Amino acid sequence: MNAILELRGRVIKGGRAEGEALVSSQPISFYGGIDPDTGIVREKGHELEGKSVAGKVLIFPHGKGSTVGSYIIYRLKKKGVAPSAIINQRCEPIVAVGAIISDIPTIDCVDISNFKSGDWIKIEDGKIIVERR
Amino acid sequence: MYLSKDEERMLVGEFGYAMQKAMEILIALGKIYDAEKLIPITSAHISGVSYANVGEDGLEFLEELASDGKVLVKTTLNPAGMDLDRWSLMGIDREFAENQLRVIDVYRKMGVEVTCTCTPYLVNNMPKLGDHVAWSESSAVVYANSVIGARTNRESGMSALAAAITGRTPLYGLHIKDNRQPTVEVRVPQPDGEFGFACLGMVIGRLVGDGIPFIKGMFHAEPDELKALGAALASVGGVPMFHIEGITPEAKEYADRSMEKLVVTEADIMSIKKEYTSEADPDLIFLGCPHLSLIELKKIASVLIGKKVRKKLWLCCSKHVKLEADKLGITRALEAAGATIVCDTCPIVAPVRDLGISVVATNSAKGAWYSRNLNNFSVKLLSTEECLREATE
């Protein structure tokens, strides 16, 4: 693993985390789109369908759908299947509120085309370090 | 974003867990929308009350907040999933009822008034022209901005609660005068009654998306008619407010503005009704989406006196309005005719599917839209008079 990239973004929820990147080029609806008990993406036809967000650094453009999504993020956290961190192109209120009430470090204003699923990501407040094999 | 010394202390937790979480939420929203600072609010209105929507997880988080959280401003609550007193008459099961009452208790503990209505402005949460408030519930948001001239963004339940706990909201969107300007002029025929206004709301909502319409061509409008118009507008699109020439308080400022012009015809308004023409007999007829005012209850009573209701007819209102109706003998008259007054809830947020209902009739364009799209009911959209005729035939 080599550190290949260091980026800075805007802190939505501060904190330190690391994990394997799971990248989606499509927006994510937490309410209805992710199984709250398993962390598996279940939205039909979504590019992450069938994949688990548990423990991952989840990278996607922005959230969508119902504001109940904030509570789904909270439930994922309580069940131990939440992402370890979130990186957005442009965070919106559903994800922001969910991340804050669940204490999941979250950064936005980052060009997410920099990331590939499988990268190892370390984040600390606004700083992101990307390691790739 | 600029924070005062006190706000910084709230953020680091000097005033407890709830204040800290609430402040974090408002600051995140402030960043997302480029707010320069937080501003004080005079009232809040919170959605996210039905146990069917909040769920066990939402409830758990609310309980954490309530461990040391209290609202700082007048704060009212949206409808719950059942009539808080007469839930068993509605057919709600005990387990749901107990969970629903836990949600209510948590809000009460935080100092929220358990009004359980989508019409806070009918239960003494009445801001003044120019007041900054933080309201959720899209129909109430539109009413506050348009009819009262108070200023609120379309809050979620959680952001409205965060604002209530801190007494603040980020300065962006409709709190700023420039963002309250109309974006499109819509010329309309004078609609007829609440039902006509509701159908007009559907038409305009589809035309303007999340814009702000400047409506011309109306001669008069009652508050209840504007309530129906706003509810329909907000349910099909993202419309946060409207102006009506000669009627709403901020309209005169934009009278001479030139903007894109649209025309709505009588036929456009009538076409909404044709979208909801279920042939089946309704299992439930409901009026009161948004919740009925005292005046509306009186009108319904005057139609029903001496008649016999033969179908399930729900008249949905706040407990506050029902208590006023009790005093005037209206409740007794309505119940004698066979109608059921349902408080604290409505067929959109109550678990009505479990009550064996699949076909509904209503005079509410918003109610029709959600009954079809959220609850998968077949729907008949009728005028108030037609609904009452259907109920008594």
Side-chain angles (χ1 to χ4, degrees):
Chain A
M1 289 285 207
N2 296 313
I4 60 154
L5 203 56
E6 190 175 316
L7 300 161
R8 291 205 76 86
R10 180 172 72 170
V11 179
I12 296 293
K13 171 69 193 166
R16 191 193 281 253
E18 62 182 290
E20 190 185 323
L22 181 66
V23 183
S24 167
S25 66
Q26 297 171 335
I28 292 178
S29 169
F30 283 84
Y31 181 60
I34 295 188
D35 185 322
D37 296 319
T38 62
I40 292 171
V41 177
R42 64 179 178 197
E43 182 180 332
K44 291 270 167 285
H46 197 279
E47 66 181 86
L48 297 186
E49 186 180 351
K51 297 210 163 68
S52 168
V53 302
K56 301 281 174 28
V57 173
L58 185 60
I59 303 172
F60 55 105
H62 53 83
K64 63 171 182 175
S66 163
T67 54
V68 177
S70 302
Y71 290 137
I72 302 298
I73 296 175
Y74 184 78
R75 174 136 151 210
L76 292 168
K77 179 73 173 193
K78 290 279 163 177
K79 296 268 176 183
V81 292
S84 60
I86 292 171
I87 300 174
N88 280 167
Q89 191 91 32
R90 184 84 193 173
C91 193
E92 50 60 62
I94 303 166
V95 171
V97 170
I100 288 164
I101 66 179
S102 319
D103 286 318
I104 298 172
T106 296
I107 298 177
D108 82 337
C109 295
V110 181
D111 179 0
I112 63 167
S113 67
N114 284 305
F115 307 100
K116 284 185 189 158
S117 288
D119 288 347
W120 191 260
I121 312 270
K122 293 179 181 165
I123 78 168
E124 191 179 339
D125 292 324
K127 189 166 83 177
I128 305 168
I129 295 169
V130 185
E131 293 175 354
R132 192 168 292 160
R133 211 178 288 278
Chain B
M1 187 161 78
Y2 167 80
L3 294 182
S4 70
K5 282 273 174 296
D6 270 351
E7 288 162 357
E8 279 172 4
R9 291 171 65 202
M10 292 175 181
L11 183 60
V12 295
E14 280 187 39
F15 298 94
Y17 171 80
M19 192 68 101
Q20 181 177 24
K21 278 287 156 197
M23 196 50 96
E24 284 186 39
I25 287 170
L26 298 181
I27 289 171
L29 295 175
K31 280 183 185 175
I32 289 169
Y33 295 110
D34 294 321
E36 65 176 274
K37 61 176 182 180
L38 299 170
I39 50 168
I41 56 164
T42 59
S43 90
H45 179 73
I46 297 171
S47 65
V49 183
S50 173
Y51 182 76
N53 296 331
V54 175
E56 198 54 33
D57 310 289
L59 179 54
E60 201 175 307
F61 177 69
L62 290 173
E63 280 169 346
E64 273 188 59
L65 274 187
S67 65
D68 67 355
K70 280 267 184 296
V71 299
L72 290 183
V73 295
K74 183 173 187 74
T75 304
T76 46
L77 205 57
N78 225 33
M82 62 185 197
D83 189 313
L84 298 185
D85 300 322
R86 301 195 293 175
W87 50 267
S88 65
L89 280 179
M90 280 177 71
I92 300 285
D93 74 61
R94 177 164 293 277
E95 189 187 344
F96 182 89
E98 283 171 358
N99 287 325
Q100 181 62 72
L101 291 173
R102 283 165 64 212
V103 176
I104 296 298
D105 283 345
V106 165
Y107 281 118
R108 189 180 280 127
K109 192 175 165 201
M110 286 192 270
V112 177
E113 293 176 30
V114 180
T115 52
C116 295
T117 182
C118 48
T119 55
Y121 46 89
L122 295 180
V123 299
N124 298 330
N125 188 352
M126 189 59 160
K128 294 189 189 64
L129 181 69
D131 275 2
H132 294 282
V133 302
W135 285 16
S136 50
E137 166 52 38
S138 66
S139 71
V141 166
V142 173
Y143 196 93
N145 279 316
S146 315
V147 184
I148 302 172
R151 300 182 177 192
T152 178
N153 287 313
R154 280 170 65 120
E155 301 290 348
S156 68
M158 190 50 75
S159 65
L161 178 58
I165 288 172
T166 59
R168 292 161 164 84
T169 193
L171 176 60
Y172 73 93
L174 294 176
H175 292 288
I176 297 168
K177 192 159 176 248
D178 273 357
N179 299 329
R180 300 172 68 82
Q181 301 178 45
T183 56
V184 54
E185 181 184 308
V186 186
R187 184 160 285 281
V188 305
Q190 172 70 40
D192 185 20
E194 284 129 32
F195 180 67
F197 276 80
C199 292
L200 175 65
M202 278 299 184
V203 175
I204 299 180
R206 284 180 191 162
L207 287 174
V208 306
D210 57 1
I212 299 178
F214 188 85
I215 300 168
K216 284 190 173 181
M218 262 183 216
F219 306 106
H220 57 89
E222 297 295 323
D224 289 327
E225 293 169 340
L226 297 176
K227 164 163 80 82
L229 172 72
L233 264 178
S235 61
V236 282
V239 175
M241 75 178 295
F242 58 81
H243 301 282
I244 305 177
E245 189 180 46
I247 292 177
T248 59
E250 291 169 71
K252 55 185 176 294
E253 299 176 36
Y254 308 109
D256 306 320
R257 190 73 52 103
S258 72
M259 54 195 126
E260 186 197 347
K261 290 183 170 54
L262 300 171
V263 175
V264 171
T265 64
E266 200 74 55
D268 296 331
I269 298 176
M270 293 308 291
S271 72
I272 297 295
K273 192 179 170 184
K274 294 191 192 114
E275 293 175 22
Y276 298 92
T277 50
S278 166
E279 290 297 316
D281 237 16
D283 311 309
L284 171 69
I285 299 159
F286 70 93
L287 305 176
C289 169
H291 275 172
L292 296 163
S293 69
L294 187 62
I295 295 172
E296 289 174 304
L297 276 179
K298 270 186 201 164
K299 283 189 196 160
I300 294 166
S302 69
V303 175
L304 286 183
I305 276 174
K307 297 206 174 74
K308 187 72 205 146
V309 172
R310 296 173 201 285
K311 292 186 181 129
K312 196 192 277 253
L313 171 65
W314 282 9
L315 307 175
C316 302
C317 66
S318 62
K319 195 142 282 160
H320 181 96
V321 165
K322 178 176 177 287
L323 286 173
E324 291 176 354
D326 290 352
K327 284 184 213 152
L328 297 171
I330 296 169
T331 306
R332 207 172 337 116
L334 289 166
E335 288 178 346
T340 308
I341 298 190
V342 173
C343 294
D344 310 318
T345 188
C346 74
I348 309 302
V349 292
V352 277
R353 278 211 85 78
D354 302 342
L355 310 183
I357 288 162
S358 61
V359 184
V360 297
T362 182
N363 66 343
S364 164
K366 171 179 180 167
W369 195 90
Y370 278 102
S371 292
R372 177 187 282 168
N373 294 304
L374 196 68
N375 287 335
N376 286 319
F377 291 154
S378 26
V379 183
K380 248 178 174 166
L381 181 59
L382 303 170
S383 71
T384 311
E385 297 70 29
E386 289 169 325
C387 280
L388 295 175
R389 205 176 308 137
E390 178 88 42
T392 51
E393 251 166 22

